[in-house]
Amino acid sequence: MPRVHLLSWLVAASLLAACAGPSPSPAASAPPAGTPAAGAAPAGAELSGIDVVFLRTMVGHSERTLQIVRLARDRLRDDALRTLAAAVEATEADELSAMRGWLPTAGPGADAAGHDHAGHGDDTALDRLRAAGDADVDRVLREVLAEHQRAAADLARAQVDVGRDERVRDLARRIERSRTAEVELLQGYAAQISSAPAGRRSS
């Protein structure tokens, strides 16, 4: 997500927070012991506007992530990168299912089907992957996915600071940690390849 779209989300989130009134009391928002997994819909009151904005944005971002990895996965040459792509796909498919399940509980107009996908990497990343030759697809995926996941980590980190519902904030924390770790792995793969002898490089 380009920086301008992250800033737009923060502005929208701040405005929604200002209009939403006081945060729910800890008793209303804190998850009880034995909180259900991420796929379970939050119980109780509807989600606040600021949490809906985050979930809607992350739905679009995760949908684009799945497009990216599925476009490249069958062409990847590096085993470690192929394993990471599979893990990313599994993780984000699960998160996407959970977020889609949460949004209908958030009140009128919150359905994920109405989400605008603009700003989640547009089509440039997909175009780069489609145009990449077999010898370059690993490198292009590393670059595209690292940029994409770094934006997700930034977005989730901001939500932890401004979100209202503790269950959504917990999801944001997990997203920030996982995407940051993925970016570090992708950068590590790139560093290993750049330092390897030319004859051993896979892309």
Side-chain angles (χ1 to χ4, degrees):
M1 180 188 296
R3 182 68 57 182
V4 65
H5 293 290
L6 176 60
L7 291 175
S8 297
W9 178 86
L10 287 171
V11 170
S14 297
L15 290 173
L16 282 166
C19 296
S23 300
S25 66
S29 61
T35 299
E46 293 179 348
L47 297 175
S48 70
I50 197 170
D51 298 313
V52 171
V53 171
F54 171 73
L55 290 173
R56 284 169 60 95
T57 304
M58 283 307 305
V59 162
H61 199 280
S62 290
E63 287 173 343
R64 179 51 54 93
T65 306
L66 295 180
Q67 288 180 306
I68 289 171
V69 296
R70 288 168 179 170
L71 184 60
R73 64 184 177 186
D74 294 334
R75 300 176 58 204
L76 296 175
R77 304 168 68 182
D78 183 83
D79 289 340
L81 185 57
R82 192 180 302 113
T83 298
L84 176 61
V88 167
E89 181 178 2
T91 297
E92 299 216 20
D94 285 346
E95 291 173 350
L96 186 56
S97 177
M99 290 186 290
R100 284 171 171 163
W102 287 13
L103 279 168
T105 72
D111 196 325
H115 182 79
D116 180 3
H117 292 256
H120 299 295
D122 56 55
D123 290 327
T124 304
L126 299 180
D127 290 343
R128 287 187 63 195
L129 284 168
R130 292 188 186 101
D134 289 343
D136 294 325
V137 67
D138 285 26
R139 174 185 57 80
V140 173
L141 179 66
R142 286 194 303 270
E143 295 172 356
V144 163
L145 193 56
E147 179 179 1
H148 189 72
Q149 300 301 70
R150 187 179 296 109
D154 289 344
L155 184 63
R157 193 176 301 111
Q159 173 66 15
V160 172
D161 291 336
V162 300
R164 297 294 186 87
D165 189 283
E166 185 57 32
R167 291 150 295 194
V168 178
R169 293 177 68 215
D170 181 64
L171 173 65
R173 291 186 190 99
R174 288 186 279 116
I175 288 174
E176 192 276 332
R177 288 194 297 266
S178 67
R179 299 335 183 243
T180 298
E182 290 163 11
V183 171
E184 291 173 353
L185 283 172
L186 289 163
Q187 293 174 333
Y189 295 158
Q192 290 173 15
I193 290 171
S194 65
S195 63
R200 295 176 55 193
R201 295 179 187 176
S202 61
S203 61

